[in-house]
Amino acid sequence: AHSLFYLPCLRRICKELPWVELVNRPATSAEVSVFWHDRLDVPVSKFHISRLAKGQKMNRFLTMQYHARKNTLTKRLKRMQELFPEDFNFLPKSWTFPSEVSDFKKNAIKYDQSGESKYYIIKPDNGSKGQGIQLADYPKVIPAWMQMSRSAMASDDDDDDSDKQKKSEGKGEGKRN
């Protein structure tokens, strides 16, 4: 299902290079030059990397799922911007919440020149492919982020509750003779 997001782009690249699209071939197949790993629920591991033959490439790398998270990536890009300002001048002013909420309140532009409230893009740290992105004007940024955080915590709690229920149902825990 995830590959549907990339499929039109990949097919266009195959035509332009010209490459042949091979569907449902194992990564160990000698026919495969680029193995496209798009299972976000299965991070790339040493198992995947070790199975690639000489000259084969993969679109992801070890620990990518950690480095590509928005808060982690923003922190690293800001650091690179400090070290190499001319090369990293493309990064818009960004804040990672909750650690930089006070800096946001102090330094964010609240209104434009006409007095209209400025808008900000709010992205969940663990979202992907545009899921969970919100647009909020300055007064609503922190409440929107707090709601986003509560929703994320609630879904984590739901997962924890269902795990506890599965354990107690599956093992008969808590029963006494």
Side-chain angles (χ1 to χ4, degrees):
H2 295 295
S3 63
L4 295 177
F5 180 75
Y6 301 104
L7 204 49
C9 180
L10 291 173
R11 288 199 167 134
R12 188 175 72 239
I13 289 168
C14 285
K15 283 182 183 177
E16 289 178 13
L17 286 179
W19 289 352
V20 176
E21 178 184 357
L22 302 172
V23 181
N24 296 325
R25 296 285 194 345
T28 55
S29 171
E31 301 170 290
V32 175
S33 297
V34 177
F35 176 68
W36 194 266
H37 181 84
D38 62 355
R39 296 269 320 266
L40 299 177
D41 59 326
V42 181
V44 172
S45 67
K46 289 181 182 177
F47 171 79
H48 296 101
I49 302 296
S50 67
R51 297 184 69 193
L52 293 174
K54 184 177 180 177
Q56 289 181 321
K57 307 288 186 240
M58 183 180 284
N59 67 311
R60 296 185 181 256
F61 53 85
L62 288 174
T63 69
M64 182 173 175
Q65 73 280 0
Y66 170 73
H67 295 291
R69 288 189 73 114
K70 288 163 195 71
N71 281 350
T72 307
L73 183 60
T74 299
K75 183 179 177 181
R76 284 174 170 49
L77 285 173
K78 284 174 152 182
R79 180 70 177 130
M80 294 300 285
Q81 199 172 38
E82 289 171 11
L83 295 171
F84 308 103
E86 301 83 27
D87 296 325
F88 284 83
N89 60 4
F90 59 87
L91 183 66
K93 181 67 178 152
S94 304
W95 295 270
T96 55
F97 286 10
S99 63
E100 297 179 339
V101 168
S102 62
D103 185 52
F104 173 78
K105 288 179 181 178
K106 188 168 75 175
N107 295 312
I109 298 170
K110 296 160 185 62
Y111 303 98
D112 65 17
Q113 294 168 343
S114 67
E116 294 290 318
S117 184
K118 290 290 280 187
Y119 277 81
Y120 290 88
I121 300 169
I122 307 166
K123 298 181 179 187
D125 187 40
N126 62 345
S128 68
K129 300 178 186 162
Q131 296 173 337
I133 294 176
Q134 296 181 31
L135 187 64
D137 63 347
Y138 178 81
K140 297 176 187 158
V141 168
I142 294 173
W145 171 79
M146 290 174 69
Q147 179 59 40
M148 188 183 291
S149 297
R150 279 194 291 275
S151 297
M153 287 189 288
S155 72
D156 287 348
D157 288 345
D158 291 345
D159 292 344
D160 292 345
D161 291 343
S162 65
D163 289 345
K164 288 175 189 172
Q165 184 178 358
K166 286 177 190 173
K167 286 180 183 176
S168 66
E169 289 173 358
K171 302 225 178 201
E173 293 175 3
K175 293 183 181 179
R176 293 182 186 226
N177 292 339

